[in-house]
Amino acid sequence: MTGPLTPLSEEFSQRLREQLHRLLMHFEEVCLIAPTPGSWAPPVDLCEMEDAIIVRIEIPGVSRENVCITIRDGLLKIEGRKERQLPALQHEAKGNRLVRFICLERAYGAFVRHVPLKWMVDLAAVSARLADGILEVRLPKSRECGREIIIPITDESSL
């Protein structure tokens, strides 16, 4: 039998809190949204370069027409759909039809991936290309660190 539990030291507790905080921040970098039934989550790579942020997402079998990329309120959203293609039934005329699938490991259906943008991005220069099943979104960093907006203060009587 073991003895009574001893409380954790303050130093150990603080380190544990910091590690958990870093872990949660890592998950926030690329939102890991659990797929809903009928959907899937393609893998995403996110890398920072000196002049741009590059997002690469594996979407083999997805056509360009079935992908939509938007940026709104500092959030990059990549959504699309991969359709299941049944095997060509060449022998259907002879009465040989598909009876059942033996193994289904490939994912199909809708997908959505969100990437929070923690950088100032030049929205007019954002580009995307799809080649060999890899979608690459290039988000050039803005040379501005943000615009300064001067907000005038009016008298109380003019409100």
Side-chain angles (χ1 to χ4, degrees):
M1 194 159 214
T2 61
L5 294 175
T6 58
L8 300 174
S9 71
E10 183 61 35
E11 179 185 348
F12 181 77
S13 296
Q14 182 63 27
R15 281 192 319 215
L16 184 60
R17 275 192 293 277
E18 289 170 1
Q19 288 176 351
L20 286 172
H21 179 70
R22 279 196 300 274
L23 179 65
L24 291 173
M25 294 303 289
H26 172 72
F27 283 123
E28 187 180 296
E29 286 294 319
V30 177
C31 293
L32 299 176
I33 298 171
T36 58
S39 70
W40 59 292
V44 173
D45 288 342
L46 179 66
C47 53
E48 181 177 11
M49 302 173 71
E50 284 185 31
D51 63 337
I53 303 302
I54 305 296
V55 179
R56 290 189 182 105
I57 180 169
E58 287 184 12
I59 51 172
V62 178
S63 67
R64 183 178 64 164
E65 294 78 25
N66 288 341
V67 178
C68 180
I69 305 168
T70 57
I71 297 176
R72 182 176 183 183
D73 297 332
L75 188 68
L76 173 69
K77 181 179 179 183
I78 303 170
E79 59 186 324
R81 180 167 199 77
K82 182 163 77 169
E83 301 295 333
R84 181 181 310 251
Q85 296 179 353
L86 295 175
L89 302 177
Q90 299 170 349
H91 304 291
E92 191 170 322
K94 297 178 183 177
N96 296 336
R97 292 184 305 231
L98 179 67
V99 176
R100 64 183 170 149
F101 285 100
I102 305 300
C103 177
L104 285 173
E105 292 184 354
R106 297 173 57 205
Y108 297 94
F111 66 88
V112 177
R113 295 304 307 256
H114 296 90
V115 179
L117 301 177
K118 297 181 180 184
W119 307 269
M120 294 295 294
V121 174
D122 182 358
L123 295 176
V126 173
S127 62
R129 68 184 185 99
L130 178 60
D132 299 325
I134 305 293
L135 174 67
E136 181 177 291
V137 181
R138 182 177 177 80
L139 304 155
K141 291 180 182 177
S142 176
R143 300 213 187 279
E144 300 176 9
C145 289
R147 295 184 309 215
E148 179 179 15
I149 300 171
I150 299 173
I151 302 169
I153 300 173
T154 59
D155 289 335
E156 187 177 303
S157 60
S158 62
L159 292 177

